[in-house]
Amino acid sequence: MTRVLGASALLVALGASVAALVLTILGARRERPTWLAAGYTATFIQFGMVTAATFAMIYALAAHDFSVSYVAQVGSRATPLFYTVISLWGALEGSILFWAWVLSLLTALVVFWNRERPGALIPYTSATMLGTGIFFQFLLVGPANPFGLVSPVPTDGPGPNPLLQNHILMGVHPPLLYLGYVGMTVPFAFAIGAMASGEVNGDAWIRLSRRWTMGAWAFLTAAIIAGMWWSYEVLGWGGYWAWDPVENASFMPWLTATAFLHSVMVQERRGLLRLWNLNLIVATFALTILGTFLTRSGVLSSVHAFGEGPIGFYFLAAIAIVLLLSFVLVAGNSERLSGDGRLEGVASRGTVFLMQNLLFTAFCFTVLVGTLFPIVAEAARGVKVSVGEPFYNRMTLPICMALLFLMGVGPALPWKAADRETLRAKMLPPVGGALVAAVLGLLAGARNPYAVLAFAFSGFAAVANVGEFVAGARARMRQRGEAATTALSRLVNTNRRRYGGYVAHLGVVAVAVAITASATFKSEHEATLAKGQSMRVQGLDIRLEEVWGRQEPQRAVIGATVAVLKAGREVGRMDPRMNFYPTSQQPIPTPAVRSRAWGDVYVNLMSFKQDGSNATLRVIVEPLVPWIWAGGMIICLGALIAMVPAPRRAPVESTATERAEREASGTPSAPVAAT
Amino acid sequence: MSNATGRRTATLVIATVIVVGAFGWLMLGNIEGDVVYFYTPQELLAKGDAAYDRAVRLGGQVAPGSVKWDADALDLRFRVREGTSEVLVHSKGAPPQMFRDGMGVVVEGRFRRDGVFESKNLMIKHSEEYRAPKPGEKPQEMYRSLIKGGSTS
């Protein structure tokens, strides 16, 4: 029953999407408001239908309805309810259903909020999103149908992949990733809509999609950080990033999207980079599709290769169509795309944005080459190769250093060319910050030049970005006699976009410092301990207390309890575990992590004697690692500040000093600046 | 398009070509040095002198009866076999709990001139991480014995 309901809902959704696409395009072309309205109604219907199908699947999972093929594939009666429900995105068909649902939701929202806007931009934008939705809905009724028939109906299933039911972060990381990935469809659709409707020169598409882009980017950032966290907490190797092809797949669109978020400002302020921005957002969208292809096609062997099948071909075809369509549209609009402004001087913020963009693009290209090289090498020469860390380090470390540096230089520079005096005054404090950070790094024992440089540039960027808050608040205090906190909060409130950006920069600094510190000062110790024996790790004694085991409904657990002693006194207990799932050939580790602001003590149970008399433990001391996660949250907070609309102000409040301030920073006093 | 704009565009295009070219050369010119090749024992031994002292991955099965694990010294030795060729592997650190004879493994490291493959990283090769147990395999029972072995609390 559920199966039939879900399958029919998907069929109706596909029909409604096609109808909506046709009605919307024809309605816009022939200027028939009734057709357009009907198209929008059909858009809402397809959202309702995909929602119904998604709920049907969640219900089937929760009710263990093994007559539904997807449930038979990933369900199991022994799996706890939480992991049963989140196995919605645990394998191929379910994750495509979830993707289609998020996309249909975003499509409906874009239409709902913009339907009154005159002109053809919104219809074509909506049509682009519908077209993308049709692709996923086609996969769902065809090659990736989650509501397939199973006969005979099994009494129980194998349960989700053990790696996916071992940590709560699996309930967080995939939805964030999909919201980020799918969210990038919105600015892409606006770009296509702008080109198709001829509204490409007005920059309206950028203003209308700015918050969407910012939101999608924040979700993508959070997803990448959550993925790192998951890999740190579950895989048991004490690391968080391995340049795994699938990590790369989510990182590449992040790089181009980050470039885009910065370069649209150049377009808004200076009327430049129109063509470049279109290409960036097309590339971002194509990279999200490529990422899905890499993850879901099985062309790469990776920890993420959960689903294999003929789906890959469809994704390749989709990428080809996206690139072809975009190319045709860009070519058709090239006359309208010439810039009408120009950058003023080398030492200006615009130049920094330009360099930053080139670096992000080069970064993305490097990751792309490293990711695809093994596929090309195997196809062309028949050799199996992998591109490891040395390649990425050699290529991307210099880029990262330059980006950190620019992150400090950019905010300090005005849009107009800076004169020498301003430049010196602005750069002095950050240079001091860089020196202090470098000395601290050296004192802590860093000898690798890249590490010292990373600390220095992080200090530089931190002081530069904090300096913007301090300078802005001071100006308000001086000019209006406001108290420090009032001045600071009003400063941020009146230009959320700018100061949200600086908050995000500070988050990036936190991540950069944490990664550098953990890579530089990490220490690993491994030993086999008998019960009661201890090992000494950086001033701590780790004593093995007990090896124990217990049977849980869906798995068997073996754990070791260890006591952490500081100067002979017990300060805490940890229990690293191994989980044995019936469907897994090897145990899934659950390391125990003791987090403090200065860093983590990470204990992993490597092996144990069957009689419980001894166990081999790996203890890793990871300085500052929690700051990677915290930094990620600060970045998202920055994005949130930049997204929230500024409170409506009475015209009185926009004083002359404020206008003067804006003039000074090069903002045109046109209303554009407020968005 | 005015003449000045044309010249500026041309300069921009040339500059871009130079930058992209230099970057591409930097990347692809050296990529051979950063690439890790995957060999079977037979392929590795067939390389002769060229097999030694470079980072490679070696894949095959753990030869039955070849595993020597010293828990106190954290010293592991075993042979990786593929067909009739075998390579002796030495690694520091604990093997994964389920490491055993006949298991598919990939080791990353260097083949030394004394004929021992010094492994830095030992990975279990499993058919894409996840499959239902084969008939006759009863992982549940295996776990149960482990639990009985450990002092239950």
Side-chain angles (χ1 to χ4, degrees):
Chain A
M1 187 59 193
T2 320
R3 197 186 76 76
V4 178
L5 272 179
S8 343
L10 285 176
L11 267 177
V12 178
L14 181 59
S17 298
V18 173
L21 178 74
V22 173
L23 283 168
T24 311
I25 291 183
L26 284 183
R29 286 186 77 94
R30 308 213 173 138
E31 296 177 20
R32 301 272 175 91
T34 43
W35 293 11
L36 211 51
Y40 289 164
T41 308
T43 306
F44 298 134
I45 292 175
Q46 65 92 33
F47 164 59
M49 287 296 129
V50 182
T51 308
T54 309
F55 274 107
M57 179 53 74
I58 292 173
Y59 175 77
L61 281 166
H64 300 299
D65 183 351
F66 294 111
S67 67
V68 176
S69 60
Y70 187 70
V71 180
Q73 189 191 332
V74 301
S76 131
R77 294 186 189 277
T79 309
L81 183 66
F82 176 76
Y83 292 104
T84 298
V85 172
I86 68 164
S87 54
L88 176 64
W89 46 75
L92 178 72
E93 291 85 355
S95 59
I96 291 186
L97 177 60
F98 186 63
W99 182 304
W101 179 72
V102 175
L103 183 57
S104 71
L105 169 71
L106 296 186
T107 312
L109 285 177
V110 165
V111 167
F112 184 75
W113 281 331
N114 297 295
R115 65 191 188 283
E116 307 288 346
R117 192 180 190 279
L121 173 63
I122 298 305
Y124 283 117
T125 302
S126 155
T128 308
M129 296 193 72
L130 287 165
T132 315
I134 288 171
F135 168 67
F136 284 96
Q137 289 161 16
F138 159 75
L139 291 180
L140 286 170
V141 298
N145 186 357
F147 291 103
L149 181 63
V150 186
S151 173
V153 176
T155 53
D156 203 353
N161 184 326
L163 271 177
L164 305 184
Q165 50 171 316
N166 206 46
H167 200 285
I168 197 157
L169 275 170
M170 259 303 127
V172 178
H173 164 64
L176 290 175
L177 185 65
Y178 285 135
L179 284 166
Y181 261 30
V182 183
M184 290 302 170
T185 313
V186 180
F188 166 75
F190 270 102
I192 296 289
M195 289 193 281
S197 65
E199 284 194 45
V200 73
N201 221 15
D203 300 342
W205 71 275
I206 285 193
R207 269 180 284 124
L208 287 171
S209 61
R210 186 181 84 77
R211 295 212 165 85
W212 290 98
T213 318
M214 192 64 89
W217 180 84
F219 279 120
L220 195 53
T221 309
I224 292 170
I225 300 276
M228 291 162 82
W229 202 350
W230 174 82
S231 124
Y232 180 74
E233 294 272 345
V234 170
L235 297 182
W237 54 294
Y240 38 78
W241 193 262
W243 296 108
D244 179 273
V246 176
E247 294 170 329
N248 295 348
S250 61
F251 192 41
M252 288 187 281
W254 185 87
L255 290 168
T256 51
T258 310
F260 178 75
L261 280 180
H262 289 86
S263 65
V264 288
M265 289 189 257
V266 181
Q267 175 168 344
E268 285 172 286
R269 303 266 183 150
R270 288 285 176 268
L272 289 169
L273 303 182
R274 292 215 160 90
L275 184 62
W276 174 252
N277 286 332
L278 286 168
N279 283 325
L280 268 184
I281 201 62
V282 168
T284 304
F285 179 70
L287 284 168
T288 63
I289 304 281
L290 176 75
T292 317
F293 163 70
L294 291 177
T295 342
R296 296 306 184 192
S297 65
V299 293
L300 296 163
S301 54
S302 110
V303 286
H304 289 73
F306 302 131
E308 288 183 42
I311 297 298
F313 165 77
Y314 295 103
F315 277 99
L316 274 188
I319 297 170
I321 291 171
V322 167
L323 294 179
L324 201 67
L325 173 76
S326 313
F327 183 73
V328 168
L329 281 173
V330 169
N333 278 289
S334 61
E335 283 294 293
R336 279 179 233 164
L337 284 170
S338 56
D340 43 19
R342 53 174 306 183
L343 290 178
E344 293 173 38
V346 177
S348 76
R349 196 178 290 181
T351 315
V352 173
F353 279 148
L354 204 61
M355 284 156 68
Q356 174 259 18
N357 254 260
L358 291 175
L359 287 167
F360 269 110
T361 316
F363 202 147
C364 181
F365 185 61
T366 305
V367 178
L368 186 68
V369 167
T371 311
L372 298 184
F373 189 84
I375 305 177
V376 176
E378 186 160 359
R381 292 193 292 153
V383 289
K384 282 193 176 169
V385 302
S386 57
V387 176
E389 228 181 287
F391 169 76
Y392 292 102
N393 286 349
R394 183 168 59 81
M395 295 305 299
T396 65
L397 278 178
I399 298 178
C400 290
M401 296 304 134
L403 283 171
L404 269 176
F405 177 67
L406 290 183
M407 213 171 70
V409 175
L413 287 182
W415 282 91
K416 290 174 186 163
D419 60 86
R420 195 163 295 191
E421 209 42 50
T422 328
L423 210 56
R424 188 178 305 153
K426 281 274 198 182
M427 287 301 142
L428 215 54
V431 168
L435 286 176
V436 170
V439 168
L440 283 177
L442 283 168
L443 285 179
R447 292 295 172 266
N448 181 311
Y450 272 127
V452 178
L453 213 57
F455 285 129
F457 285 162
S458 297
F460 183 82
V463 172
N465 282 280
V466 170
E468 287 302 298
F469 287 94
V470 174
R474 269 203 185 145
R476 286 187 77 103
M477 288 159 72
R478 205 171 46 239
Q479 286 163 5
R480 312 183 176 192
E482 289 171 346
T485 46
T486 325
L488 194 62
S489 74
R490 289 208 181 142
L491 177 78
V492 174
N493 256 324
T494 48
N495 202 341
R496 286 167 178 270
R497 188 174 176 183
R498 182 167 155 196
Y499 290 97
Y502 298 155
V503 170
H505 283 177
L506 291 172
V508 175
V509 169
V511 173
V513 170
I515 289 179
T516 311
S518 72
T520 312
F521 304 122
K522 172 176 167 171
S523 65
E524 291 191 42
H525 314 261
E526 196 173 303
T528 305
L529 300 178
K531 243 193 238 182
Q533 216 176 3
S534 60
M535 66 197 278
R536 176 144 269 222
V537 175
Q538 306 235 323
L540 295 174
D541 286 308
I542 309 287
R543 188 171 68 203
L544 180 68
E545 301 287 306
E546 196 174 12
V547 181
W548 49 268
R550 68 166 179 257
Q551 178 71 48
E552 293 178 358
Q554 81 283 21
R555 64 186 182 189
V557 182
I558 305 285
T561 301
V562 300
V564 183
L565 296 98
K566 206 180 219 167
R569 211 168 55 83
E570 188 176 317
V571 291
R573 292 207 163 203
M574 302 169 76
D575 39 3
R577 298 189 296 272
M578 268 183 207
N579 302 318
F580 295 83
Y581 289 89
T583 46
S584 171
Q585 290 301 297
Q586 61 168 336
I588 309 296
T590 303
V593 183
R594 185 182 147 89
S595 267
R596 295 290 179 269
W598 51 265
D600 288 353
V601 176
Y602 182 107
V603 182
N604 197 20
L605 173 62
M606 301 299 290
S607 67
F608 54 87
K609 217 168 179 176
Q610 298 230 0
D611 62 9
S613 63
N614 78 30
T616 306
L617 300 174
R618 175 178 289 167
V619 180
I620 310 175
V621 177
E622 306 246 22
L624 297 189
V625 160
W627 287 96
I628 302 177
W629 332 133
M633 289 173 204
I634 298 172
I635 297 173
C636 292
L637 175 72
L640 195 70
I641 293 173
M643 265 174 79
V644 173
R648 287 221 172 275
R649 284 176 292 148
V652 168
E653 261 200 67
S654 178
T655 58
T657 44
E658 206 171 277
R659 273 200 299 280
E661 252 178 60
R662 258 188 276 148
E663 286 304 331
S665 65
T667 319
S669 38
V672 176
T675 55
Chain B
M1 198 183 275
S2 74
N3 224 358
T5 342
R7 231 186 350 256
R8 219 170 42 226
T9 315
T11 322
L12 200 69
V13 167
I14 293 169
T16 312
V17 168
I18 291 173
V19 170
V20 169
F23 189 74
W25 176 82
L26 189 68
M27 177 154 50
L28 293 171
N30 281 317
I31 201 168
E32 282 293 307
D34 299 324
V35 157
V36 180
Y37 283 85
F38 177 93
Y39 297 124
T40 62
Q42 193 177 0
E43 286 166 345
L44 185 73
L45 295 171
K47 294 210 73 111
D49 251 13
Y52 298 117
D53 295 324
R54 55 169 305 182
V56 293
R57 282 182 178 182
L58 176 70
Q61 285 182 320
V62 178
S66 70
V67 178
K68 289 188 187 68
W69 160 234
D70 180 343
D72 292 323
L74 298 170
D75 189 274
L76 178 70
R77 283 166 199 276
F78 61 95
R79 289 173 180 279
V80 170
R81 172 188 288 178
E82 173 80 38
T84 53
S85 308
E86 283 189 358
V87 171
L88 178 64
V89 176
H90 174 240
S91 124
K92 278 291 205 187
Q97 178 68 31
M98 305 295 274
F99 181 84
R100 58 182 188 271
D101 286 355
M103 171 171 257
V105 289
V106 178
V107 283
E108 200 171 58
R110 284 162 198 280
F111 194 37
R112 290 196 321 237
R113 288 190 180 269
D114 61 3
V116 179
F117 190 93
E118 195 67 45
S119 155
K120 282 201 317 200
N121 190 10
L122 167 62
M123 294 167 279
I124 303 294
K125 202 163 132 195
H126 22 74
S127 42
E128 248 37 275
E129 304 278 333
Y130 171 66
R131 67 174 174 82
K134 283 185 197 152
E137 263 182 1
K138 293 193 181 110
Q140 286 289 31
E141 274 173 26
M142 196 160 59
Y143 308 151
R144 217 159 283 147
S145 80
L146 292 174
I147 291 170
K148 262 187 224 132
S151 59
T152 35
S153 56

